[in-house]
Amino acid sequence: MEFNQNILGLQPSRSMTFMVKAKQLQAADPEVINLSGGEPDFDTPMPIREEAKRWLDAGYTHYTIGPGLPELRERIARKLREENGCGYKADDIIVTPGGKFAIYLAVRAAVNPGDEVMFLEPGWVSYPSIIEASGAVPVPVRLRFEDGFALTAEKLEQAVTPKTKMLIVNYPNNPTGRVLNRQEAAELEAFLLRHPDVLLLSDEMYERIVFSGYENVSPAAFASVADRVITVNGFSKSVAMTGWRIGYLAASGPLRAVIYKLFQHTVSCVSGFIMKAATVALDCTAEIEEMRKSYERRRDRFIGDLNAIEGVTCAYPEGAFYAWVKFDLPGMDAAQACEFILNEAKVVGVPGDAYGTDDCCVRFSFATEESELIKAAERIRTVMERVGKEG
Ligand SMILES: Cc1ncc(COP(=O)(O)O)c(C=O)c1O
């Protein structure tokens, strides 16, 4: 039987594979520390849970009509206007079951077979797979550890061709922790102006997790290119709602119309009581700030501890909750280094090659209790010191 070639050729999600493996290892050995996950360790804030219960009891269990409850889309549009400087209206918003599906809808609806879609590398594991599943060709824009993953016009120009249909960027970045700075944003805008047929998908899933001294820049705030920008965001990371499966995209005009067609024929809608709960999530500013501060404290401690180890290098993430750690382990690639740290230190991360890099890097999540992070760094130190002595 001939199944779909585009889907058959996909790699399984490496981050999900590692999350499953880590759970199995932990069940067998409670000493294992799991830093492979991509989710907050906090519970969803109480006001959101209360709101979900209230509307569940009120019977919000039927299909909802259209691209999302009007009050939620109004609230999201207001958030994008006030916090991100974007000119989206409520009618530009489509509420989706998670940000991942918003990205799938946008790519699938925009590309034709053979089109090229650029994405940043190292980058989130699902971009190339979503692009391939849509029949398009993933084209990486390779950013380098050595220059702090700087996004430059030169890098973008090297990857663009007449077949380029879309560029996907993700800030704050998973896995590098970089936040788009003003200079890079200006280069991005200039690139889009030079290439008027290229769409931009800006994945801002970690936008609320930005550390002191940095600020999120939303490309849709640039009026000169706004009509070509699809902004994706959601509730999973910022308000600890991973399991609720709710996110959204914002796009205008014919772009939004084509995406909405696919939405209607795939998911129909998101649950009404979940959308009601998400409407109050955007007002949980104190809870969101509390979580953000906690990630920042953990970042300071964990990255500080790691950098004090000989043979380990990690830049301080500017946002999100991942440490992108480079190991000096001669003769080992990222997969071997990750396996080595797992076997010897009982700390589970995700190997850098899952994010498309040749560097000997491992991604560790610091959305975990500080005591566990301290223990993890200590064990990595012991292992690295032993390697150093054995020479
Ligand atoms: C960069 C990035 N974008 C999008 C998502 C999808 O988030 P969700 O589908 O849970 O809303 C994730 C989740 O890991 C992510 O890391």
Side-chain angles (χ1 to χ4, degrees):
M1 200 178 284
E2 288 271 310
F3 296 118
N4 183 287
Q5 292 299 327
N6 293 335
I7 311 287
L8 274 178
L10 299 182
Q11 296 293 324
S13 165
R14 295 280 301 280
S15 55
M16 289 203 169
T17 310
F18 269 82
M19 278 164 78
V20 172
K21 187 174 171 183
K23 288 258 179 293
Q24 287 165 348
L25 290 168
Q26 270 184 319
D29 180 354
E31 281 295 295
V32 168
I33 300 175
N34 177 12
L35 305 184
S36 70
E39 67 173 331
D41 59 331
F42 298 103
D43 289 331
T44 304
M46 191 55 91
I48 304 172
R49 286 187 271 156
E50 291 297 346
E51 196 71 356
K53 285 186 244 172
R54 190 155 81 89
W55 292 102
L56 182 58
D57 287 342
Y60 265 60
T61 53
H62 296 272
Y63 286 134
T64 51
I65 295 167
L69 293 178
E71 56 270 43
L72 175 57
R73 290 186 294 112
E74 287 288 353
R75 184 66 191 84
I76 292 170
R78 175 152 76 83
K79 176 247 180 296
L80 291 173
R81 238 180 358 256
E82 290 173 358
E83 294 174 23
N84 307 86
C86 306
Y88 294 117
K89 302 181 302 299
D91 282 348
D92 298 331
I93 313 297
I94 302 177
V95 182
T96 56
K100 192 184 264 189
F101 200 71
I103 296 166
Y104 176 73
L105 284 178
V107 174
R108 187 74 182 85
V111 302
N112 282 305
D115 282 349
E116 293 178 357
V117 179
M118 293 159 55
F119 67 103
L120 309 183
E121 217 174 59
W124 185 47
V125 293
S126 291
Y127 300 131
S129 299
I130 288 174
I131 297 164
E132 281 172 14
S134 307
V137 181
V139 177
V141 177
R142 295 222 159 82
L143 306 182
R144 285 161 44 86
F145 193 98
E146 290 68 28
D147 55 22
F149 306 105
L151 181 66
T152 61
E154 195 191 347
K155 296 242 159 75
L156 292 169
E157 292 299 342
Q158 275 166 4
V160 74
T161 78
K163 289 189 182 162
T164 307
K165 184 62 157 284
M166 185 186 272
L167 162 66
I168 302 179
V169 297
N170 163 228
Y171 292 101
N173 187 270
N174 173 11
T176 67
R178 274 295 320 279
V179 165
L180 190 70
N181 63 35
R182 291 270 157 203
Q183 164 71 27
E184 291 167 318
E187 301 224 6
L188 189 56
E189 182 186 14
F191 170 81
L192 289 172
L193 290 172
R194 281 196 300 279
H195 301 280
D197 296 329
V198 174
L199 302 169
L200 179 75
L201 190 154
S202 176
D203 176 356
E204 301 176 25
M205 189 51 68
Y206 296 87
E207 172 241 348
R208 291 289 188 99
I209 309 169
V210 170
F211 302 128
S212 310
Y214 298 94
E215 56 163 357
N216 181 68
V217 183
S218 296
F222 296 126
S224 61
V225 294
D227 60 340
R228 281 188 278 145
V229 180
I230 304 155
T231 302
V232 171
N233 203 329
F235 301 85
S236 292
K237 320 287 177 171
S238 57
V239 230
M241 289 178 72
T242 45
W244 297 62
R245 307 314 298 134
I246 181 162
Y248 60 88
L249 64 83
S252 55
L255 185 53
R256 183 253 177 221
V258 69
I259 298 171
Y260 185 50
K261 268 192 198 173
L262 184 59
F263 173 91
Q264 286 183 315
H265 289 295
T266 50
V267 278
S268 308
C269 63
V270 171
S271 308
F273 67 94
I274 291 181
M275 286 196 278
K276 278 285 190 188
T279 310
V280 304
L282 289 167
D283 292 318
C284 287
T285 3
E287 291 89 342
I288 291 171
E289 179 57 8
E290 206 40 57
M291 292 189 260
R292 192 201 66 77
K293 276 196 193 139
S294 157
Y295 295 132
E296 186 157 333
R297 274 195 304 275
R298 297 166 184 191
R299 173 199 70 158
D300 290 347
R301 176 68 205 242
F302 189 46
I303 310 303
D305 285 359
L306 289 172
N307 278 325
I309 305 170
E310 185 82 29
V312 176
T313 321
C314 180
Y316 277 80
E318 301 161 359
F321 43 60
Y322 304 109
W324 184 240
V325 185
K326 194 169 192 172
F327 285 93
D328 181 10
L329 286 166
M332 286 193 207
D333 62 17
Q336 290 163 329
C338 190
E339 191 75 18
F340 177 73
I341 296 296
L342 167 59
N343 292 336
E344 302 298 317
K346 296 191 181 179
V347 177
V348 197
V350 185
D353 55 302
Y355 305 89
T357 180
D358 294 334
D359 290 329
C360 188
C361 285
V362 178
R363 190 200 77 170
F364 297 114
S365 161
F366 52 85
T368 304
E369 266 182 47
E370 199 169 315
S371 57
E372 289 290 282
L373 295 170
I374 293 171
K375 216 192 293 174
E378 194 45 48
R379 290 202 206 150
I380 293 172
R381 168 198 296 284
T382 308
V383 169
M384 293 302 286
E385 279 177 0
R386 209 177 60 223
V387 172
K389 282 198 195 106
E390 287 163 4

